[in-house]
Amino acid sequence: MTTHRRKAGTRTPAETAASLAKSAAVRSGPSVGGREARRWLAEQRRRTVMDVRQIPLDRLTGWHTDPATGDLVHASGRFFAIAGLDVQRPGTPVPSWQQPVIEQPEVGVLGILVREFDGVLHCLMQAKAEPGNCNRVQLSPTVQATRSNYTRVHEGASVPYLEFFRRPSRHRVLADVRQSEQGSWFHGKRNRNMVVQVDEDVAVLDGFRWFTLREIHELFAVDDAVNMDTRTVLSCLPYVGPRLPEVLGTGRDPFTSALLRSCSGLEGGRHGMTEILSWITDERTRTVNEARRVPLKEVAHWQRRDGRITHASGLFFNVIGVSVTADGREVAAWSQPLLEPCDEGVAAFLAKPVDGVLHVLVHARAEPGFTDVVELGPTVQCTPSNYAVLPPAARPPFLDEVLHAEAGRVRFDAVHSEEGGRLYHARNRYVVVETPEDFEPDHCGYRWLTLAQLSRLLRHSNYVNVQARSLVACLYSMTA
Amino acid sequence: MTTHRRKAGTRTPAETAASLAKSAAVRSGPSVGGREARRWLAEQRRRTVMDVRQIPLDRLTGWHTDPATGDLVHASGRFFAIAGLDVQRPGTPVPSWQQPVIEQPEVGVLGILVREFDGVLHCLMQAKAEPGNCNRVQLSPTVQATRSNYTRVHEGASVPYLEFFRRPSRHRVLADVRQSEQGSWFHGKRNRNMVVQVDEDVAVLDGFRWFTLREIHELFAVDDAVNMDTRTVLSCLPYVGPRLPEVLGTGRDPFTSALLRSCSGLEGGRHGMTEILSWITDERTRTVNEARRVPLKEVAHWQRRDGRITHASGLFFNVIGVSVTADGREVAAWSQPLLEPCDEGVAAFLAKPVDGVLHVLVHARAEPGFTDVVELGPTVQCTPSNYAVLPPAARPPFLDEVLHAEAGRVRFDAVHSEEGGRLYHARNRYVVVETPEDFEPDHCGYRWLTLAQLSRLLRHSNYVNVQARSLVACLYSMTA
């Protein structure tokens, strides 16, 4: 039955946005506030046992090196593989290169279950341990499931709460969209970002807790507390809307006021939506970004030695092996490869008010793993130390504006972790720097967008990359 | 300079929609109306010299058969190729097959230039001859250019008016979106559908003429008059909007009234947009639609004999060669392969009012050539005679409802041609059949959508397939 009538209890978009805003503003309710949330997360961290040890890649259990290609693959043929990628980008400072890449073509589920208590929306969040996390446990969505997870390839325990996301049309869906992950490290990976609202009682299992948006938002200021999957799912919420200022007020300072106006106006902004979509079409048509799978053993300048894969320069990233012993996960012990970046990255928006409405400067970025050539990324997204071996022309525009911004212009600054199931200690400094209103750079490939415009794009796949989505979630966290 | 301020003369979406509605309603102006438009097209047809002769594939000039793969390729390595495709679709009535396919990964431009005369928007249309057209000349967009065209691979004359579409950000863009073509015949092909508005005088070359939307709309009732590229570009226009009834009235009969309400309401409808997007995400996640290039000479059940490629059953389509002599085109004589369907197809919407708003029943279709698994197609899209050799379970739902609909319920019925540059005499009967309001089929993979909702999806790539886009344009043609 797919052609049923509209479900009872359906909300208009404005009602949904108002309900989300109320959850971001609330100071009372069954959950007591930011301090209590931090205490709960710290307690979960203490109680979680996960031991992660680096081991050589050739000692991973269940994984082997394909003799024909040199690719690292799992015995089941599932999960993911470490393969090689050849990238052609003619006419750019680095016109071609080869690299290892994480190949995971399956679409997984990142789902947050929400429910109202006393009229306030709460999110069911999980304190989840991942082998690549620098602090073991971070705040995670209700469900993080690969397709292998939910088809039970690993024969472990079933994923709790997954049933709410398998048949979303039975519930009230607030967001449901496939989004990309790091296009420099993953080839064609997409996860389904979902937020599903229920009215019924839901049993809260050990390691889970209901959070208001306000509580989650307060944790954004803490380093390494809110994991990447939570950030990307929250960025896909229909949080913006004309009723936001009714609930959240007009802002305690000019920056917050401009931010709130940026979140509340569905039209308006420097460019209209038709113009923005045309610009994206143009960038996607004119950019050549060809990525082709090649055998890992043929990838130039990368070597497998001492049980790990590294670049000849010692830069970029390594592929390492880890052996994991855990309690309370689907399986109690396993080993796997992880991608370990060699240094911390930066992801930053330059932001400024235009006629009192905050705009962020987005960059039309080509990353080799993207499925549709170009996505909108932060103004700056890079690992600064990598540029030691690259031509000077490759140095990203605006990097110095971000790294040397005067303290009074830095509106957001926190270090957050990337996905801990495939990446090892991958961290980015997320920064929002306010520029004067007359700052008008004339670089190709950049545009000023409002948050309402980014939010409209985020209803669809593949417009906004994962680092920009994290920054959108960071900005949402500053609205209350 | 890409971060310039908003252009002078920018219109709001509502103003643009009102201007389009006015062009659809107008009965006067420099162009005199439907009868005059038909006379002009007939005159152009008489004046056009194009001689098309079938020749064996091995006698095509500039084309050869790759000895390793059997693929038909052009000597330049450009234009397009005829290759093989292996399709896997487990769990469906036809779980796998192989077929020849047109491989044309470049993004071409289909562009209509528009300009206001006496406050009424006009489209610069072309009477264009294509070798595959059954009647030589049809009404075409201002520009139809492959990338090979505009990079001048064929060393022919340059494409007139192309400069307006190369730098769209200099003009007022009404639509600019890459859309798919027939996923059963093309592998990953996308064209950029563009509508660009100018204020300046534009010289009208021989074979071109300014048309109001009303004149084009009247030609939709004539078989084989409005070519596929025109239909798809018009479907991408932001035609719907709340001011449509102000300009076009409320409709002369209940069907037209429901159609106008379907075009005017940006919210409302059986399902909300979030629910529709979630449904599409779900279909795309759960459907397996794997298409892989294989050498043409290894494609099972297809044979190359007597200078053409045919299926053993004599059904589906043939690949044939043609030799063309033309006047007034980029080059005066050439030869090329074309794909010739063996029979006429049907593309139909079942439509019904829901609370006075017309809804059409769309089908989430997987076609092998799609770049993102599933797009929304018509209720019925098939070549009925092909089902002679396929299992009964493969017979499309609702086909009999369309073929045997009582005359009083058939609201639109015309035969239109598909792309004449790659396809030979490819024709579909486009039909809209009104069903009673209590018609509630419970088939999986179908949903009732309003035209306003389809129009919102059409701002983005790969949501609505080319046959459904033609039907949307047919429905727009019935609004005035």
Side-chain angles (χ1 to χ4, degrees), chain B residues 7-225:
Chain B
K7 276 186 291 294
T10 302
R11 307 290 174 87
T12 67
E15 284 164 353
T16 300
S19 162
L20 291 167
K22 204 165 156 192
S23 178
V26 75
R27 288 188 173 278
S28 64
S31 48
V32 194
R35 183 175 301 184
E36 175 53 29
R38 278 198 295 281
R39 215 173 359 235
W40 179 83
L41 192 59
E43 170 62 20
Q44 297 298 317
R45 195 169 284 147
R46 270 191 299 278
R47 290 173 49 191
T48 302
V49 179
M50 178 176 273
D51 181 61
V52 180
R53 242 165 256 228
Q54 290 200 30
I55 59 169
L57 289 173
D58 41 28
R59 304 236 325 260
L60 297 175
T61 310
W63 293 81
H64 67 274
T65 302
D66 182 294
T69 59
D71 293 358
L72 256 171
V73 294
H74 191 257
S76 66
R78 304 290 289 274
F79 298 112
F80 63 98
I82 308 290
L85 203 65
D86 176 88
V87 186
Q88 297 294 327
R89 203 171 289 167
T92 66
V94 187
S96 73
W97 73 89
Q98 298 189 324
Q99 63 167 87
V101 76
I102 302 172
E103 184 75 22
Q104 186 174 354
E106 303 174 341
V107 177
V109 169
L110 310 176
I112 297 182
L113 195 68
V114 301
R115 182 190 191 287
E116 282 186 0
F117 294 94
D118 302 331
V120 177
L121 198 133
H122 284 64
C123 304
L124 187 61
M125 305 303 290
Q126 180 184 183
K128 191 171 172 67
E130 296 279 8
N133 284 352
C134 58
N135 56 355
R136 256 192 343 262
V137 169
Q138 299 189 8
L139 196 68
S140 307
T142 320
V143 164
Q144 289 178 200
T146 61
R147 185 179 271 268
S148 304
N149 265 146
Y150 62 80
T151 55
R152 312 279 289 277
V153 175
H154 53 32
E155 298 177 345
S158 67
V159 177
Y161 305 110
L162 184 58
E163 64 272 21
F164 293 104
F165 301 92
R166 276 189 209 252
R167 304 260 186 132
S169 63
R170 294 182 179 184
H171 308 286
R172 190 180 305 139
V173 175
L174 303 190
D176 184 3
V177 58
R178 294 162 310 150
Q179 298 288 9
S180 66
E181 302 207 347
Q182 287 81 0
S184 299
W185 298 331
F186 293 96
H187 185 221
K189 185 179 180 191
R190 291 200 281 197
N191 271 325
R192 189 168 171 183
N193 288 240
M194 303 177 79
V195 181
V196 167
Q197 184 170 359
V198 293
D199 296 320
E200 72 233 51
D201 281 340
V202 175
V204 176
L205 300 175
D206 195 33
F208 289 80
R209 178 181 181 277
W210 291 107
F211 282 73
T212 59
L213 276 180
R214 183 183 184 94
E215 290 177 307
I216 304 174
H217 283 168
E218 289 185 2
L219 283 171
F220 268 83
V222 179
D223 288 356
D224 302 306

Side-chain angles (χ1 to χ4, degrees), chain A residues 2-3 6 147 176 178 190 192 269-270 274 278 281-282 285 372 441 443 446-447 459-460 463, chain B residues 2-3 6 147 176 178 190 192 269-270 274 278 281-282 285 372 441-443 446-447 459-460 463:
Chain A
T2 59
T3 57
R6 201 155 183 181
R147 187 179 269 270
D176 184 3
R178 293 161 313 148
R190 292 201 280 196
R192 188 169 172 182
R270 167 70 63 92
T274 302
S278 177
T281 298
D282 199 55
T285 309
D372 201 3
H443 294 67
Y446 292 80
R447 283 279 193 291
R459 303 184 74 181
H460 308 279
Y463 279 124
Chain B
T2 59
T3 55
R6 202 157 182 178
R147 185 179 271 268
D176 184 3
R178 294 162 310 150
R190 291 200 281 197
R192 189 168 171 183
R270 166 71 60 94
T274 302
S278 176
T281 299
D282 198 56
T285 309
D372 200 3
D442 63 354
H443 295 66
Y446 292 80
R447 282 280 194 288
R459 302 185 74 181
H460 308 280
Y463 278 125

Side-chain angles (χ1 to χ4, degrees), chain A residues 345-424:
Chain A
V346 175
F349 271 145
L350 295 185
K352 70 168 187 176
V354 178
D355 302 330
V357 176
L358 194 75
H359 284 60
V360 296
L361 189 62
V362 300
H363 178 209
R365 278 180 70 86
E367 296 181 15
F370 286 165
T371 54
D372 201 3
V373 192
V374 160
E375 298 190 12
L376 304 185
T379 321
V380 172
Q381 174 191 318
C382 69
T383 303
S385 54
N386 286 347
Y387 293 89
V389 294
L390 294 176
R395 190 170 170 85
F398 310 115
L399 177 56
D400 295 318
E401 280 85 343
V402 169
L403 296 181
H404 308 122
E406 46 175 298
R409 294 200 166 276
V410 178
R411 301 297 175 191
F412 186 92
D413 193 355
V415 173
H416 287 297
S417 296
E418 307 307 317
E419 220 256 278
R422 301 288 174 267
L423 311 173
Y424 186 80

Side-chain angles (χ1 to χ4, degrees), chain A residues 11 14-24 116 119-121 197 213:
Chain A
R11 308 289 174 86
E15 284 164 352
T16 300
S19 161
L20 292 167
K22 203 165 156 193
S23 179
E116 283 184 0
V120 177
L121 197 133
Q197 185 171 358
L213 277 179

